């Protein structure tokens, strides 16, 4: 449960459920959440618990809530709690200071709690986050035991998301570039995976993970999987009045498993067609340094990158207040300003996924 007083109205979507009468679909964006991050609201099992807790604790209590219910109520709750939407940085993945005890190894073992802390690969900006085994196990339980659809939505560039997937919870969908691109896992042993030769995710082992369910049948904790992009959503982003198609060229080499001799070259921003990139060029002409590396349907302007002497702090602050061309939108993320088609963005992406996943059999 989240504290709505500390979150922008568009961030959280809630509909009734037997377990939490005011909660069904939960979407959180830490860029707009106060430091308490997650709080408990009254429920049949926690009528007076309103203390701030970390997301991992909230996930833990959510699973405990389901386990505590009798079979009939549990059945109703599982059929009504349908989705968990989560950001990644600052929500599932954290960036502690070195003095907080995470060493330079890929894993740090907490023997007492059997909760291995796992280091992710550094991002393109050099940040290296951590995720706990407990977080991975809780998300796994929500999906496998209770049928909750888990969706990870991040402002990260697609190339960064790909390097992180092996360390993140297995999800029903992944969105990068602030909702600009959507991917689904592909079961490599299914008909869909037959002949698949694209990007393959090899999940890292964590405490509580198993590649065997005890009956000799493989579960999907550590089973490698592929990725399939939502082409309906992509086609919408590729419209000329949105991001256009040129931003995708050269960006799909790794996802599609294209050999080195057949890889497409990335199209430079000045040569990209589409309203998003035309606007990007106007910022370049004004002297702004923009970050388009690894982005297809979004670009970012980082205050720290404005070191050419042409852009003042006032110039940068004006970005979030400026009138944008019709069809484009912006948001602040990690101290940066992201620009993207107005049909994109985390809220629109999540709304689209709710509708599309609800129509699935």
């Amino acid at each position: 449960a989240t504290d709505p007083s500390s979150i922008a109205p568009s961030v959280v979507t809630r509909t009734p459920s037997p377990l939490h009468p005011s909660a069904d679909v939960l979407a959180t964006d830490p860029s707009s959440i106060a430091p308490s991050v997650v709080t408990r609201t009254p429920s049949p099992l926690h009528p007076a618990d309103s203390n701030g807790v970390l997301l991992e604790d909230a996930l833990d209590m959510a699973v405990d809530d389901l386990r505590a219910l009798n079979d009939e109520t549990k059945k109703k709750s599982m059929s009504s709690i349908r989705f968990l939407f989560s950001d990644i940085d600052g929500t599932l993945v954290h960036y502690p200071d070195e003095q907080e005890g995470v060493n330079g190894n890929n894993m740090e073992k907490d023997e007492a709690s059997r909760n291995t802390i796992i280091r992710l690969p550094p991002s393109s900006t050099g940040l290296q986050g951590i995720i706990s085994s407990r977080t991975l196990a809780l998300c796994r339980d929500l999906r496998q035991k209770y049928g909750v659809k888990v969706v990870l939505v991040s402002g990260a560039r697609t190339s960064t998301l790909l390097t992180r997937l092996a360390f993140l919870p297995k999800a029903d969908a992944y969105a990068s570039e602030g909702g600009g691109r959507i991917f689904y896992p592909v079961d490599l042993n299914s008909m869909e995976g037959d002949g698949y030769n694209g990007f393959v995710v090899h999940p890292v082992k964590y405490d509580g993970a198993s590649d065997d369910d005890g009956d000799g049948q493989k579960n999907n904790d550590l089973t490698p999987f592929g990725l399939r992009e939502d082409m309906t959503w992509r086609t919408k982003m590729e419209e000329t009045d949105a991001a256009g198609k040129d931003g995708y060229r050269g960006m799909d080499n790794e996802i599609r498993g294209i050999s080195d001799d057949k890889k497409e070259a990335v199209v430079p921003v000045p040569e990209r067609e589409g309203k998003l990139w035309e606007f990007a060029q106007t910022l370049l002409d004004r002297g702004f340094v923009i970050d388009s590396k690894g982005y297809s349907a979004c670009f970012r302007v980082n205050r720290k990158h404005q070191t050419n002497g042409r852009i003042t702090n006032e110039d940068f602050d004006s970005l979030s207040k400026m009138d944008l061309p019709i069809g484009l939108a912006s948001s602040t993320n990690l101290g940066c300003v992201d620009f993207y088609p107005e049909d994109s963005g985390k809220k629109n992406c999540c709304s689209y996924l709710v509708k599309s996943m609800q129509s699935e059999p």
Side-chain angles (χ1 to χ4, degrees), residues 7 11-12 27-33 87 91 332-333 346:
I7 306 175
V11 173
V12 179
T28 65
D29 179 353
S31 66
S32 59
I33 302 178
D87 194 2
T91 308
T332 57
N333 186 24
K346 293 180 180 179

Side-chain angles (χ1 to χ4, degrees), residues 15 40 81 129 132 144 179 196 246 277 321 342 350 357:
T15 53
R40 301 291 295 176
I81 300 176
S132 74
Q144 293 188 7
Y196 179 86
D246 290 337
W277 303 112
K321 305 171 186 176
E342 65 178 1
C350 292
M357 288 183 169

Side-chain angles (χ1 to χ4, degrees), residues 45-339:
L45 297 177
H46 300 281
D49 183 2
S50 60
N51 296 320
V53 295
L54 295 175
L55 178 63
E56 181 175 309
D57 298 324
L59 289 171
D60 204 353
M61 285 189 282
V63 173
D64 287 343
D65 282 354
L66 286 170
R67 288 172 177 161
L69 298 173
N70 61 47
D71 290 342
E72 185 61 30
T73 305
K74 184 185 297 184
K75 182 178 180 181
K76 292 179 180 178
S77 294
M78 287 190 293
S79 65
S80 61
I81 300 176
R82 300 288 303 278
F83 300 93
L84 168 67
F85 292 94
S86 177
D87 194 2
I88 297 175
D89 291 316
T91 308
L92 300 178
V93 174
H94 301 279
Y95 297 86
D97 296 330
E98 288 299 322
Q99 60 265 29
E100 292 185 45
V102 179
N103 59 34
N105 299 324
N106 285 336
M107 295 185 178
E108 179 175 300
K109 189 75 171 180
D110 181 349
E111 296 292 349
S113 63
R114 284 187 52 77
N115 185 21
T116 297
I117 305 302
I118 304 168
R119 272 192 179 274
L120 279 70
S123 69
S124 62
T125 57
L127 293 175
Q128 187 171 22
I130 62 170
I131 190 168
S132 74
S133 290
R134 185 61 176 154
T135 295
L136 294 165
L138 287 169
C139 290
R140 183 268 320 278
D141 286 349
L142 286 172
R143 293 185 69 243
Q144 293 188 7
K145 296 183 179 180
Y146 304 111
V148 176
K149 299 282 189 183
V150 174
V151 180
L152 305 187
V153 186
S154 174
R157 65 198 82 220
T158 300
S159 56
T160 296
L161 178 66
L162 293 180
T163 64
R164 292 177 166 190
L165 284 179
F167 302 83
L168 297 176
K170 179 75 176 293
D172 296 277
Y174 307 90
S176 59
E177 303 187 28
R181 299 187 71 172
I182 299 173
F183 301 92
Y184 305 102
V186 173
D187 182 351
L188 299 180
N189 295 317
S190 67
M191 290 183 63
E192 183 183 14
D194 186 30
Y196 179 86
N197 60 357
F199 184 82
V200 176
V201 180
H202 297 270
V204 299
K205 188 172 179 62
Y206 58 89
D207 287 330
S210 172
D211 58 2
D212 191 289
D213 65 6
D215 296 322
Q217 300 295 319
K218 296 283 185 180
N219 66 25
N220 62 3
D221 280 9
L222 302 177
T223 303
F225 60 92
L227 290 176
R228 171 179 61 85
E229 186 164 9
D230 189 316
M231 295 307 295
T232 300
W233 183 255
R234 172 165 167 165
T235 299
K236 193 173 185 179
M237 297 299 109
E238 286 182 329
E239 293 178 0
T240 305
D241 286 340
K245 296 182 178 181
D246 290 337
Y248 293 87
R249 288 173 54 189
M251 298 292 187
D252 291 346
N253 293 325
E254 189 173 10
I255 297 173
R256 294 165 55 191
I258 298 175
S259 59
D260 290 340
D261 60 328
K262 295 182 180 179
K263 286 184 177 179
E264 282 189 306
V266 174
V267 179
V269 169
E271 299 177 18
R272 296 183 185 183
E273 294 184 0
K275 182 169 288 189
L276 177 69
W277 303 112
E278 291 171 1
F279 173 67
Q281 186 61 51
T282 67
L283 295 184
L284 289 172
D285 293 341
R286 290 176 55 188
F288 282 96
V289 177
I290 72 169
D291 182 0
S292 61
K293 182 180 179 181
Y295 291 105
S296 303
C298 171
F299 71 88
R300 174 168 291 183
V301 184
N302 188 329
R303 185 191 298 271
K304 295 179 180 179
H305 293 172
Q306 313 309 311
T307 59
N308 58 14
R310 298 178 60 185
I311 301 301
T312 65
N313 284 331
E314 290 74 17
D315 292 331
F316 183 87
D317 292 338
S318 70
L319 288 176
S320 60
K321 305 171 186 176
M322 67 186 304
D323 292 329
L324 297 175
I326 295 174
L328 301 183
S330 68
S331 60
T332 57
N333 186 24
L334 300 176
C336 306
V337 182
D338 291 343
F339 296 93

